[in-house]
Amino acid sequence: DAGVIQSPRHEVTEMGQEVTLRCKPISGHDYLFWYRQTMMRGLELLIYFNNNVPIDDSGMPEDRFSAKMPNASFSTLKIQPSEPRDSAVYFCASSSLARTRDAHEQFFGPGTRLTVL
Amino acid sequence: QKEVEQDPGPLSVPEGAIVSLNCTYSNSAFQYFMWYRQYSRKGPELLMYTYSSGNKEDGRFTAQVDKSSKYISLFIRDSQPSDSATYLCAMSVNNDMRFGAGTRLTVKP
């Protein structure tokens, strides 16, 4: 299995531009998570999906952030408009409830390093 | 107060040393307790997990959970330079995961 795939790996954009991050979870996993990691705040859960349905988006910082999961093999995280304080590494992770009683064994992608100038 | 507190370090030890990493937490509802390892410019990967209180051993790694004190630990015996990474504690309940800030560990040859 290729693991969780994220694209792009690096994104540099200017303030005010729209940014779209993409994620392909591991096949067969029914949970998908989006995280943001910064030096100041560490790893923060933004939103997670179960069977393509958003379950908890309380970590999404503002209305500028939105996430979708149109099917079991693809999810996007969109920031519009982007701001310099959005600069961070964004990770996607997936897990399978069939493997554990709680989706704690999450498999992380390599991350997207976002820089907003 | 953060839900999960972890000393960010950095922590530097000589090869062969015993390393102790710790986290405290405030939410008594947490049921699963994990340690993730993150190498530079990579995503975190699960190292160990325990359910509720107790100890778990896997090779050179031992995880301990004390729910009464809301305290978890990871011990690394005979540390190796390849153990150099950031170690993040994590805990979850009902699929909601909370991570510590991570402790950066360097093991010097």
Side-chain angles (χ1 to χ4, degrees):
Chain A
D1 198 319
V4 176
I5 299 172
Q6 290 187 249
S7 65
R9 293 294 308 277
H10 301 273
E11 176 81 28
V12 180
T13 190
E14 294 187 344
M15 183 173 63
Q17 296 298 307
E18 177 180 297
V19 175
T20 300
L21 312 181
R22 297 173 176 79
C23 175
K24 176 178 169 55
I26 293 173
S27 176
H29 282 191
D30 49 359
Y31 281 86
L32 184 139
F33 305 81
W34 281 102
Y35 290 89
R36 177 173 66 177
Q37 188 175 41
T38 62
M39 289 292 290
M40 290 295 294
R41 301 176 68 91
L43 196 62
E44 301 174 282
L45 177 65
L46 300 177
I47 184 172
Y48 77 90
F49 296 81
N50 178 219
N51 292 322
N52 313 337
V53 176
I55 303 299
D56 185 353
D57 65 354
S58 60
M60 296 286 260
E62 299 170 33
D63 290 345
R64 298 184 297 106
F65 286 70
S66 62
K68 294 181 180 179
M69 192 165 185
N71 57 62
S73 59
F74 183 67
S75 177
T76 59
L77 179 68
K78 185 176 293 187
I79 308 172
Q80 166 63 23
S82 57
E83 297 183 3
R85 59 192 169 121
D86 301 330
S87 297
V89 181
Y90 291 81
F91 287 103
C92 175
S94 70
S95 67
S96 169
L97 195 62
R99 288 172 57 93
T100 61
R101 286 183 292 166
D102 183 296
H104 59 269
E105 186 175 3
Q106 297 181 12
F107 294 82
F108 283 76
T112 295
R113 187 172 295 271
L114 174 65
T115 302
V116 183
L117 303 174
Chain B
Q1 182 189 9
K2 290 182 181 179
E3 273 191 293
V4 181
E5 298 278 359
Q6 181 177 12
D7 186 342
L11 183 62
S12 181
V13 301
E15 182 175 355
I18 296 175
V19 176
S20 173
L21 305 170
N22 311 293
C23 289
T24 59
Y25 62 94
S26 57
N27 187 353
S28 59
F30 288 134
Q31 296 176 309
Y32 284 88
F33 302 88
M34 287 73 67
W35 286 94
Y36 279 78
R37 179 174 60 195
Q38 185 176 21
Y39 291 112
S40 180
R41 297 188 175 268
K42 301 286 187 182
E45 57 180 349
L46 182 66
L47 188 61
M48 295 186 72
Y49 78 90
T50 54
Y51 176 69
S52 194
S53 285
N55 294 0
K56 187 172 185 177
E57 189 173 319
D58 184 3
R60 297 184 294 109
F61 298 87
T62 299
Q64 290 185 349
V65 175
D66 182 349
K67 290 192 73 176
S68 62
S69 301
K70 298 189 179 66
Y71 187 86
I72 71 170
S73 301
L74 177 70
F75 297 95
I76 307 174
R77 292 183 300 279
D78 188 25
S79 56
Q80 303 294 310
S82 59
D83 295 328
S84 298
T86 296
Y87 291 80
L88 301 100
C89 64
M91 36 210 84
S92 70
V93 58
N94 297 328
N95 307 315
D96 191 1
M97 185 94 84
R98 293 287 180 260
F99 283 85
T103 300
R104 182 179 296 180
L105 171 68
T106 301
V107 181
K108 296 184 175 181

